Amino acid sequence: MVSYKELGLVNTKEMFARAINGGYAIPAFNFNNLEQLQAIIKASSDLRSPVILQVSKGARNYANSTLLRYMAQGAVEYAKELGCKHPEIVLHLDHGDSFELCKDCVDMGFSSVMIDGSSLPYDENVALTAKVVEYAHKYDVTVEGELGVLAGVEDEVASEVSHYTKPEEVIDFTSKTGCDSLAISIGTSHGAYKFKPEQCTVDPKTGRLVPPPLAFDVLDAIMEKLPGFPIVLHGSSSVPQEYVDMINQYGGKLPNAIGIPEDQLRKAAKSAVCKINIDSDSRLAFTAAVRKTLVEKPAEFDPRKFCGPARDLMTEMYRHKIIDVLGSDNKLAQLD
Ligand code: G3H
Ligand code: 13P
Ligand code: ZN
């Protein structure tokens, strides 16, 4: 058993309370490899932003769970080396799907876990989330639960609406489970294809597709039921068209990739939404830079020569998210 406190990590409690009061959101960035982690820590340390490092079950399988945990521990030291004396870094399990997986993460030094029972019948979601909370809270580890199912692009518009979080359930769920934050469904979804073109309108100036707005009425109703309670948005990549264009220009094939417009996320960040999850945008930046470099320098075979530009582009992207979308720059409790 290793406590996250020994690793220099923090849980989400204080940073969420400050984010709600301050009208901004904490970035939750997924990482699977060294370059993503370097870019996240460089951007968040330079900008004095709290940050949540997210590890999915897939990331644990890809990179090895022990290695990822030591990388997060190393990230705390790296942030200090970059001049950030008091970093606030959370190591969070993304989309935990069982009690055993959550327990394993708590036991190995994670400071926060998500138990995603959103696909279960309501009562089973409550029971599973409560069980994880009971265990995690013994070690001061915070827990994110989820209610409502994130829409997939394969769904019909009608069924997407019916999957939104039901505001009438949120008080019962949070009080019965004791979870520290709640992921909700208001129209975001995972991946780079969040909407079908026929769900969008066309911007006459740019010719780009504009997706329908998020269901802010549902968010408002949830906030009314749970005043001051931390809300989480998954599926919040904006799928920057410049990366999609770069990927397509250099041999890729991502037709009609569409994300959540950044002004919608900015609006959400000013509310009780205090954690915004971004993964796909990092994948797009990485892929765009690697494709460009390999096409422009076909003789290159040193991975540092194409992973380096990928890291630079991801750092630029994370900086932009922190400053212009989430507003979490200069929000550490101790800025020196
Ligand atoms: O929510 C999903 C995250 O983007 C993680 O994706 O399961 O492919 O690692 P992954
Ligand atoms: P995106 O696929 O929109 O980046 O969402 C990531 C996410 O929600 C991770 O849990
Ligand atoms: Zn997610």
Side-chain angles (χ1 to χ4, degrees):
M1 176 87 204
V2 182
S3 166
Y4 67 86
K5 292 171 190 172
E6 293 164 39
L7 311 181
L9 299 163
V10 297
N11 69 20
T12 57
K13 214 169 275 176
E14 282 180 25
M15 64 173 70
F16 280 179
R18 296 203 311 269
I20 292 180
N21 290 331
Y24 61 92
I26 310 292
F29 297 135
N30 290 66
F31 83 101
N32 296 262
N33 62 38
L34 175 70
E35 286 77 12
Q36 278 179 312
L37 184 60
Q38 287 175 313
I40 294 167
I41 297 300
K42 179 91 178 84
S44 58
S45 299
D46 286 354
L47 294 168
R48 299 296 189 265
S49 171
V51 71
I52 298 172
L53 300 174
Q54 298 205 130
V55 169
S56 69
K57 188 174 173 178
R60 280 167 54 103
N61 291 339
Y62 173 77
N64 181 274
S65 53
T66 305
L67 193 50
L68 287 175
R69 196 274 276 171
Y70 278 97
M71 286 170 78
Q73 185 177 0
V76 175
E77 299 312 314
Y78 179 44
K80 289 180 187 163
E81 203 177 296
L82 289 170
C84 187
K85 281 193 201 146
H86 305 282
E88 291 173 44
I89 300 176
V90 174
L91 178 60
H92 174 79
L93 170 66
D94 191 25
H95 293 285
D97 60 358
S98 68
F99 171 77
E100 290 71 26
L101 174 58
C102 293
K103 178 181 181 300
D104 190 50
C105 288
V106 170
D107 291 353
M108 74 185 308
F110 280 57
S111 55
S112 180
V113 292
M114 175 190 192
I115 177 68
D116 181 356
S118 61
S119 60
L120 298 172
Y122 179 79
D123 289 340
E124 288 176 38
N125 186 5
V126 169
L128 178 60
T129 306
K131 189 176 173 188
V132 170
V133 169
E134 189 192 4
Y135 185 77
H137 280 188
K138 281 189 216 160
Y139 303 99
D140 210 14
V141 169
T142 39
V143 179
E144 176 184 326
E146 178 163 342
L147 262 185
V149 177
L150 258 62
V153 75
E154 71 276 5
D155 293 328
E156 295 305 318
V157 177
S159 68
E160 283 179 10
V161 172
S162 69
H163 285 125
Y164 287 164
T165 304
K166 294 178 185 144
E168 62 273 22
E169 287 181 348
V170 299
I171 295 177
D172 187 68
F173 184 83
T174 53
S175 57
K176 279 188 179 152
T177 63
C179 64
D180 302 280
S181 60
L182 183 67
I184 60 164
S185 169
I186 56 166
T188 63
S189 60
H190 293 111
Y193 297 91
K194 299 188 191 297
F195 302 95
K196 292 178 194 165
E198 52 270 34
Q199 289 176 269
C200 304
T201 50
V202 178
D203 181 335
K205 279 191 205 137
T206 61
R208 299 277 196 195
L209 292 170
V210 180
L214 298 178
F216 281 100
D217 54 334
V218 176
L219 174 60
D220 287 344
I222 292 168
M223 291 193 302
E224 208 172 297
K225 301 270 184 197
L226 294 177
F229 194 84
I231 301 297
V232 177
L233 273 194
H234 282 249
S236 297
S237 279
S238 52
V239 186
Q241 290 304 299
E242 67 263 36
Y243 301 155
V244 175
D245 289 347
M246 247 169 103
I247 289 170
N248 290 337
Q249 181 188 345
Y250 292 103
K253 211 171 189 180
L254 296 181
N256 294 324
I258 305 169
I260 310 295
E262 289 184 340
D263 60 340
Q264 297 275 298
L265 299 168
R266 186 79 203 98
K267 183 174 166 188
K270 288 181 176 160
S271 72
V273 169
C274 59
K275 172 174 180 272
I276 292 191
N277 288 11
I278 296 171
D279 186 3
S280 298
D281 286 353
S282 168
R283 299 177 182 197
L284 291 167
F286 193 107
T287 302
V290 168
R291 279 195 175 279
K292 180 173 189 288
T293 311
L294 289 178
V295 167
E296 287 176 350
K297 299 178 181 169
E300 204 53 79
F301 65 96
D302 177 347
R304 292 172 297 187
K305 297 287 165 32
F306 51 83
C307 286
R311 187 176 59 194
D312 292 345
L313 197 57
M314 287 188 293
T315 308
E316 193 185 294
M317 185 275 291
Y318 291 131
R319 285 182 63 89
H320 165 64
K321 298 287 177 187
I322 287 169
I323 299 171
D324 303 315
V325 184
L326 290 97
S328 63
D329 51 314
N330 292 313
K331 298 296 191 302
L332 289 176
Q334 284 178 268
L335 282 175
D336 59 333

